[in-house]
Amino acid sequence: MAGSSFGNIFRMTTWGESHGKGIGVVVDGCPAGILLDEVKVQAYLDRRKPGQTKYSTPRKEDDAVEILSGVFEGRTTGTPVSMVVYNKSQKPKDYSAIAECYRPGHADYTFDQKYGFRDYRGGGRSSGRETIGRVAAGAVAQEALKELGVDVYAYTRSICGINIDESTVLRENIMKSPLYMPDLEASAKAEDALEKRMHEKDSAGGIIECIVKGMPAGAGEPVFEKLDANIAKAVMSIGAVKGIEIGAGFGAAFSSGSANNDSFYNDADRGIIKITNNAGGILGGISDGSDIIVRAAVKPTPSIASLQHTINKTGDNIDIEIKGRHDPVIVPRAVVVVEAMVASVIFDMLMASMFSNIGLIKKFFNM
């Protein structure tokens, strides 16, 4: 299977299956000297850990990370950082009933068509547990970005069509909400809507927003390695994500040039700034120094307990009711995954842009 690695200089390779012995990641290209230990990485993993609220799967996993290499005395050494989380709560029998059929909304059918074989235990490699490796790698990127003064954070913008009110948003509310919404009133309404979906044996989707503050201008490339293109690939590679916007996003299609263009202004205190930020912090594939704004559309959890129509491996039309332990909404646990992938791209492209002109090379080598 190809395609398990992502990034250019800061490069992650994830491995493992949902119900295998463990899930892990190898991070290559990580600079030496970053403050890192298992406690720091665990803080990120705990945000996607199952079983923390009634709106996530009741599957209980510690998701305790072990750093196997690349860290010594609390700092990265410059060698590959390898991390593992051992699976402790596998229940393959929960999936024996769907071994011979294709679940609607899942990758069962496409895996069989591609490989002629699939791991039906929770989806195997296509399971949401694969994102453990992404979050662990993103934790490394986040710790590096903190030292550079770049702040990357994400939150739930919408669930069940209930949107946050930007005028009442407080960042400190993100961790107070079981849905990671920075608007607690919207969170309460979304929780009520989720209760209704759960009672109906159904699920919900939503929108995750990620903000990058303190991003310097000049990171990214103008053609195939555009900063926004790489962010889009990173976020769209998350299994449940079905759409992405940067800045005004699809709204730009309904705007005019005079309204959508961001005017520049030379402020006496802040230097060159933009009056508006419809571009979402990226122009021509390169960061412009303003906040980078990313939104991801997350589909409803496909594993639902209500009756669904599908086919089995022999092509017979059948009905199924999916058993097991599943999230009624993926969005809250995916917030940190989006954050991790965006942070990884930002750090990767900052490093790639260090030597984009001869002046920077001379400055680096003091020549």
Side-chain angles (χ1 to χ4, degrees), residues 181-218:
M181 298 183 89
D183 174 355
L184 296 183
E185 184 176 342
S187 178
K189 292 178 181 177
E191 290 166 47
D192 289 342
L194 274 175
E195 293 278 1
K196 185 173 184 294
R197 294 283 178 94
M198 293 165 68
H199 180 72
E200 295 168 347
K201 297 182 179 180
D202 214 336
S203 60
I207 297 172
I208 295 170
E209 189 162 75
C210 185
I211 310 293
V212 183
K213 290 185 174 291
M215 184 69 176

Side-chain angles (χ1 to χ4, degrees), residues 88-103:
K88 300 288 181 64
S89 183
Q90 306 102 312
K91 289 188 177 181
K93 63 178 175 23
D94 285 348
Y95 300 92
S96 57
I98 55 92
E100 298 298 320
C101 66
Y102 302 124
R103 296 168 296 172

Side-chain angles (χ1 to χ4, degrees), residues 306-317:
S306 57
L307 190 71
Q308 298 183 84
H309 308 298
T310 189
I311 61 170
N312 58 24
K313 294 185 71 171
T314 59
D316 301 316
N317 294 313

Side-chain angles (χ1 to χ4, degrees), residues 151-165:
D151 182 19
V152 182
Y153 65 97
Y155 50 83
T156 299
R157 184 178 179 87
S158 173
I159 284 179
C160 291
I162 297 167
N163 297 290
I164 60 173
D165 180 349

Side-chain angles (χ1 to χ4, degrees), residues 29-47:
C30 179
I34 299 170
L35 288 167
L36 189 73
D37 57 26
E38 289 164 349
V39 174
K40 290 180 183 291
V41 178
Q42 192 65 53
Y44 292 92
L45 287 172
D46 284 348
R47 291 166 57 195

Side-chain angles (χ1 to χ4, degrees), residues 106-248:
H106 282 274
D108 300 345
Y109 175 76
T110 51
F111 256 66
D112 254 3
Q113 294 305 300
K114 181 174 178 63
Y115 299 107
F117 176 81
R118 67 183 171 93
D119 183 347
Y120 59 82
R121 304 166 302 169
R125 188 77 178 124
S126 63
S127 166
R129 280 191 70 73
E130 180 271 337
T131 62
I132 284 174
R134 299 167 183 251
V135 173
V140 181
Q142 282 279 46
E143 293 305 308
L145 289 172
K146 286 178 183 178
E147 298 195 29
L148 301 177
V150 179
D151 182 19
V152 182
Y153 65 97
Y155 50 83
T156 299
R157 184 178 179 87
S158 173
I159 284 179
C160 291
I162 297 167
N163 297 290
I164 60 173
D165 180 349
E166 294 186 9
S167 66
T168 62
V169 160
L170 292 174
R171 183 172 175 179
E172 55 264 33
N173 285 340
I174 297 173
M175 299 303 292
K176 295 177 182 178
S177 162
L179 305 179
Y180 295 115
M181 298 183 89
D183 174 355
L184 296 183
E185 184 176 342
S187 178
K189 292 178 181 177
E191 290 166 47
D192 289 342
L194 274 175
E195 293 278 1
K196 185 173 184 294
R197 294 283 178 94
M198 293 165 68
H199 180 72
E200 295 168 347
K201 297 182 179 180
D202 214 336
S203 60
I207 297 172
I208 295 170
E209 189 162 75
C210 185
I211 310 293
V212 183
K213 290 185 174 291
M215 184 69 176
E221 302 295 336
V223 188
F224 295 119
E225 290 293 315
K226 284 181 167 67
L227 178 56
D228 44 356
N230 284 355
I231 288 173
K233 181 177 181 180
V235 175
M236 284 296 295
S237 74
I238 301 168
V241 174
K242 301 302 290 183
I244 186 168
E245 287 187 329
I246 294 177

Side-chain angles (χ1 to χ4, degrees), residues 14 33 76-77 79 116 119 131 156 168 175 232 239 257 275 282 298 339 341:
T14 70
T76 56
T77 62
T79 59
D119 183 347
T131 62
T156 299
T168 62
M175 299 303 292
I275 304 301
I282 303 171
V298 180
E339 181 180 297
M341 293 305 293

